[in-house]
Amino acid sequence: MLDQQRVREDTPGCLDKVFLDSAGSSLPPRPVVDAVVSHLRREAEVGGYRAAAERADDLAEVKASIAELLGARPEDIALVESATRAWADFFYAVPLSPGDRILITEVEYASNAIAALQRARTAGAHVEVVPSTPTGELDLEALHKMLDERVRVVSLVHAPTNGGLLNPVREVVDLAHGVGALVLLDACQSLGQVPLDVVELGVDALSATGRKWLRGPRGTGLLYLRPELARTMEPAALDLHGAQWAEESGYRLAPDASRFEFWECSVASRLGLGVAVRYLLDLGIDEIEQAVSARAEYARTELSTLSGVTVRDLGGQRSGIVSFTVDGVDPNVVRKSLADKDVTVTVSGRGSTFVDMSKRNLDGVVRASPHYFNTFEDIDRLVAAVAER
Ligand SMILES: *Cc1c(COP(=O)(O)O)cnc(C)c1O
């Protein structure tokens, strides 16, 4: 069992206010904040290089912890500044020729879709959307029919930003690999709230952010690459960390996923990310999943008892994202009136997941995303605030 009292004491921001935006930017626990702040102080005392050298072991631990969480090896992880950066680093490294096809999901995150459209335009390739089933998940049969040897990459959003569903992963990987396509998993909304094992899932790459369910600092993200790709893929952009300049007219790529990193980074944030992942591993991802899912289900049940409120989550398997609308009220007005009552939620607008929102004729949904540090009373306060709005 999670020690709720301890995790709440570690999270001062959740004590007197209701914070329900871990899908946006969660509250980092106190040890994470301490790691970041103390490293910034140390940099001011001895300079950034010496401060980093003093923490070499802890810095190596960051990838080791992430690898443990993902069931991967540390050398298959690249540390970057965001999920989008990670996603793009992989995507822009996939060679594309005229006529090649890129498949995306109906719930594709806008940044991914925009990158796909840009590359399709410059390479003469095509972006196609794999339809969803009536219950919201990616339609495996439709995918099967769409796949051929021109499909280079399938971008799969595991948990969409605008609702509570979880997409199937292993099934998509098996189908895509049948035609030699790569699968890039956007795990930005799933890593840190559901168990993920990259070997079991078989994905070629996975992108995620630090600040959402992992409760890490802002400006952190990670890319996992299948070992063979970490050794062989050439990133679109390199520096003296991703490659070595050892002869005048040539360079040698780093032997592992660090070829996808640049040398400069916020060392303080990186240390904070390491502490966040270790904190999560100590609590246990299975316990976290249970706690998140119980809170989200409770919120869905209670919100749907309110007249004029519609819970918008699709899917048979659910994440911790709870999306809803209030009849005749702009979601931003709902968000604002909840904020006035110290209940923090956010709004997911049409532009973030354009295809899905357009299909469902929604301009925006209110998004509440409880984490394990939330109490059931927090959910009651959310529901009361929505009822009063
Ligand atoms: C938030 C989000 C992203 C982008 O994450 P950043 O760290 O802001 O780049 C990507 N995909 C999904 C599904 C998201 O919700």
Side-chain angles (χ1 to χ4, degrees):
M1 272 291 286
L2 274 170
D3 184 345
Q4 262 260 315
Q5 196 184 334
R6 209 201 95 209
V7 298
R8 286 179 67 76
E9 280 164 6
D10 282 345
T11 313
C14 78
L15 293 180
D16 56 345
K17 298 185 179 64
V18 177
F19 182 86
L20 294 167
D21 191 22
S22 287
S25 191
S26 192
L27 303 175
R30 209 192 297 268
V32 171
V33 180
D34 290 347
V36 175
V37 173
S38 69
H39 192 74
L40 291 176
R41 292 231 159 81
R42 189 62 183 153
E43 286 182 340
E45 286 164 6
V46 299
Y49 290 3
R50 207 178 123 189
E54 290 170 354
R55 303 297 299 276
D57 291 347
D58 295 319
L59 283 165
E61 251 321 289
V62 182
K63 284 190 190 179
S65 302
I66 293 169
E68 188 180 331
L69 179 61
L70 288 173
R73 307 176 312 160
E75 55 268 42
D76 301 325
I77 310 290
L79 298 175
V80 294
E81 310 89 63
S82 71
T84 301
R85 187 74 258 167
W87 192 95
D89 284 344
F90 180 84
F91 181 71
Y92 281 83
V94 176
L96 285 180
S97 311
D100 281 349
R101 301 167 64 210
I102 303 160
L103 302 189
I104 63 174
T105 53
E106 279 190 359
V107 291
E108 200 66 39
Y109 190 69
S111 301
N112 305 348
I114 290 165
L117 291 167
Q118 187 202 24
R119 283 208 75 205
R121 182 172 59 79
T122 55
H126 308 284
V127 180
E128 292 159 59
V129 181
V130 182
S132 299
T133 64
T135 52
E137 297 93 350
L138 177 139
D139 185 335
L140 292 167
E141 252 173 63
L143 171 67
H144 189 55
K145 290 201 190 100
M146 289 172 82
L147 285 167
D148 65 20
E149 66 293 340
R150 294 317 303 265
V151 176
R152 289 284 160 266
V153 56
V154 178
S155 170
L156 177 62
V157 175
H158 193 198
T161 206
N162 67 329
L165 78 87
L166 284 166
N167 267 319
V169 180
R170 183 72 229 190
E171 294 84 345
V172 170
V173 168
D174 288 341
L175 289 171
H177 285 178
V179 297
L182 297 168
V183 177
L184 168 52
L185 185 69
D186 177 340
C188 196
Q189 291 293 4
S190 56
L191 187 64
Q193 66 150 319
V194 294
L196 283 175
D197 183 309
V198 287
V199 176
E200 265 173 36
L201 296 175
V203 294
D204 298 288
L206 173 152
S207 58
T209 195
R211 72 174 187 281
K212 296 181 180 176
W213 300 95
L214 292 175
R215 306 182 66 199
R218 294 201 66 173
T220 57
L222 62 102
L223 173 66
Y224 155 82
L225 292 131
R226 187 157 55 78
E228 193 206 326
L229 295 175
R231 282 194 300 268
T232 57
M233 221 172 166
E234 173 129 13
L238 289 169
D239 79 347
L240 51 66
H241 171 85
Q244 244 188 342
W245 193 24
E247 51 183 297
E248 198 173 307
S249 57
Y251 58 88
R252 200 171 327 119
L253 289 167
D256 57 23
S258 67
R259 60 179 60 188
F260 281 87
E261 297 170 343
F262 276 179
W263 183 81
E264 175 58 356
C265 68
S266 164
V267 174
S269 300
R270 203 168 265 192
L271 288 167
L273 177 65
V275 173
V277 175
R278 182 45 58 195
Y279 189 90
L280 180 150
L281 288 168
D282 288 345
L283 294 175
I285 188 65
D286 295 322
E287 305 272 325
I288 290 172
E289 181 189 35
Q290 270 183 25
V292 170
S293 147
R295 283 151 184 75
E297 268 313 310
Y298 181 63
R300 288 182 192 111
T301 308
E302 294 299 306
L303 283 168
S304 46
T305 64
L306 301 179
S307 73
V309 173
T310 310
V311 174
R312 297 289 180 175
D313 297 328
L314 303 173
Q317 235 200 316
R318 295 279 176 82
S319 80
I321 293 179
V322 179
S323 60
F324 63 94
T325 52
V326 180
D327 286 354
V329 190
D330 184 318
N332 282 298
V333 173
V334 178
R335 180 189 52 74
K336 173 75 172 54
S337 89
L338 297 187
D340 291 343
K341 299 185 177 95
D342 277 343
V343 177
T344 300
V345 297
T346 192
V347 170
S348 192
R350 185 184 290 215
S352 294
T353 42
F354 182 78
V355 173
D356 174 58
M357 295 290 272
S358 302
K359 179 178 163 185
R360 294 196 280 154
N361 206 14
L362 292 167
D363 281 327
V365 292
V366 185
R367 182 180 70 183
S369 44
H371 216 326
Y372 58 80
F373 56 75
N374 288 111
T375 59
F376 288 89
E377 293 79 65
D378 286 350
I379 309 292
D380 291 337
R381 276 179 66 184
L382 163 76
V383 175
V386 174
E388 275 171 28
R389 100 325 292 172

